[in-house]
C-alpha cells in the first residue's frame, strides 16, 4: 500500500564507481542496481538560483534521484514525518518510493538532477495539491 509508505522507506543507495586515471564511471542497471525496471529517464538542469522543483507526490511511481553534477536538497514528507536529504555526489542515489511528497531546492549553480523512473509519464499518477496528498494518505 503506497499510502502507508513513510520517509523511512526512502533511502540513500550507494552506486557503483569504476575509477581510473581518465575519470570515473557509474553504472545503473534496472532491476539490478535499482529495484525496478527503468521506464523513463529525465533530468533537471539550468535551474535558476532560489528555485524549487517538485512540490508533488506520486501514487505508484518509484524514482531514483541522483545529483550527477552539483548539489541540491530534497525534502521528503509522508504527511507525518519529514526528512531532509542533501544530494551532492554522482555515485549516491536517493530512492523515493510512491506516496511521498517531495520538494527539491537549494540547487547549486550548474546542478543536474537525474531521475530514473519506474513508469512512463502519467499526469494521473500525480498528487499536485498538498491537501489532496494529505487526504490520500489518510484514506
Ligand atoms: P513536473 O514533474 O511537475 O516537474 P518537477 O517535479 O521537476 O518540478 O513536470 C514539469 C512539467 O513537465 C509538467 O508540465 C509535466 C512535464 N513532464 C512531462 O511531460 N513528462 C515527464 O516525464 C515529466 C517528468 C514532466
Amino acid at each position: 500500500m503506497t499510502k502507508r509508505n513513510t520517509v523511512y522507506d526512502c533511502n540513500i543507495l550507494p552506486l557503483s564507481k569504476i575509477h581510473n586515471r581518465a575519470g570515473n564511471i557509474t553504472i545503473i542497471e534496472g532491476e539490478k542496481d535499482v529495484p525496478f525496471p527503468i521506464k523513463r529517464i529525465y533530468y533537471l538542469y539550468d535551474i535558476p538560483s532560489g528555485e524549487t522543483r517538485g512540490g508533488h507526490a506520486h501514487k505508484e511511481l518509484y524514482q531514483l534521484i541522483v545529483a550527477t553534477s552539483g548539489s541540491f536538497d530534497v525534502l521528503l514528507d509522508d504527511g507525518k514525518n519529514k526528512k531532509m536529504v542533501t544530494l551532492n555526489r554522482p555515485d549516491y542515489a536517493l530512492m523515493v518510493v510512491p506516496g511521498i511528497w517531495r520538494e527539491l531546492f537549494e540547487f547549486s549553480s550548474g546542478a543536474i538532477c537525474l531521475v530514473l523512473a519506474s513508469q512512463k509519464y502519467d499526469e494521473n499518477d500525480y498528487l499536485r495539491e498538498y491537501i489532496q496528498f494529505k487526504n490520500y494518505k489518510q484514506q
Side-chain angles (χ1 to χ4, degrees):
M1 271 293 268
T2 78
K3 289 176 184 163
R4 303 282 169 264
N5 285 341
T6 76
V7 295
Y8 305 110
D9 298 312
C10 300
N11 296 311
I12 293 284
L13 303 183
L15 302 172
S16 67
K17 182 173 176 183
I18 300 175
H19 178 80
N20 74 37
R21 63 183 170 75
N24 302 324
I25 180 169
T26 289
I27 302 113
I28 307 173
E29 290 188 21
E31 296 173 272
K32 182 176 160 217
D33 305 301
V34 283
F36 55 79
I38 298 165
K39 296 260 182 73
R40 176 168 53 118
I41 297 173
Y42 62 91
Y43 40 98
L44 310 176
Y45 56 100
D46 288 347
I47 301 147
S49 170
E51 275 301 335
T52 298
R53 303 291 309 228
H56 57 74
H58 287 279
K59 295 179 206 162
E60 301 294 337
L61 190 72
Y62 287 77
Q63 289 168 306
L64 201 75
I65 302 179
V66 186
T68 50
S69 185
S71 65
F72 50 87
D73 292 340
V74 185
L75 176 68
L76 302 169
D77 177 351
D78 59 28
K80 287 201 175 112
N81 314 288
K82 291 185 178 165
K83 183 158 103 173
M84 182 82 106
V85 178
T86 297
L87 292 178
N88 56 11
R89 287 179 56 166
D91 56 342
Y92 277 84
L94 173 64
M95 171 84 166
V96 182
V97 299
I100 304 293
W101 186 269
R102 89 291 311 278
E103 292 174 17
L104 290 77
F105 48 91
E106 292 290 332
F107 288 91
S108 68
S109 170
I112 299 178
C113 170
L114 174 70
V115 182
L116 311 181
S118 65
Q119 302 291 337
K120 293 197 174 153
Y121 174 71
D122 176 8
E123 187 58 37
N124 293 323
D125 189 62
Y126 280 76
L127 297 161
R128 288 204 180 267
E129 300 296 332
Y130 193 77
I131 184 77
Q132 183 196 13
F133 164 69
K134 286 283 277 186
N135 289 340
Y136 176 80
K137 294 296 274 186
Q138 278 160 10
Q139 280 166 18

